[in-house]
Amino acid sequence: YVFAKDASVAREFVTRTSAGGVCVNDTILHAAHPSLPFGGVGASGYGAYHGDATFTAFSHSKAVLVKSTGLLSHINFFVYPPFSTLKTTLLTALLAPSHLLRRRT
């Protein structure tokens, strides 16, 4: 994991790191993303299965997730605890299928 506002610092870290995955400006989203393989290198990399990564489990790919530090980074308010009643209500409304939100007449 690396936290850097300077893209060249993050790029240098990704380039020089031997890892099954790198997460830039975050610590948990990498593991939660269904399209990114999750696992290490060598003995730590066995069983790096996630989505299509099952097919390429032994290919030594490196997943990289870069989270923005720009204007939209305030979205973290919704992603991380504490989960207040307001957050839960807003997230439920945003994530609920639209047919559940329509009023029945």
Side-chain angles (χ1 to χ4, degrees):
Y1 307 101
V2 62
F3 291 85
K5 290 185 179 182
D6 185 340
S8 64
V9 171
R11 202 170 19 258
E12 180 83 8
F13 184 85
V14 170
T15 303
R16 292 179 174 254
T17 301
S18 175
V22 177
C23 200
V24 179
N25 298 325
D26 200 88
T27 57
I28 196 73
L29 287 179
H30 174 217
H33 196 293
S35 297
L36 294 177
F38 188 76
V41 174
S44 296
Y46 298 134
Y49 306 112
H50 228 179
D52 291 339
T54 303
F55 182 73
T56 56
F58 301 103
S59 67
H60 305 293
S61 62
K62 179 191 290 187
V64 177
L65 182 135
V66 179
K67 190 176 109 194
S68 171
T69 58
L71 293 174
L72 292 179
S73 63
H74 65 277
I75 277 182
N76 287 339
F77 170 80
F78 291 105
V79 177
Y80 297 106
F83 294 110
S84 64
T85 304
L86 172 65
K87 276 189 188 181
T88 305
T89 303
L90 288 172
L91 280 173
T92 301
L94 287 171
L95 299 175
S98 60
H99 72 276
L100 295 177
L101 298 176
R102 288 190 208 125
R103 284 189 142 165
R104 294 181 184 187
T105 55

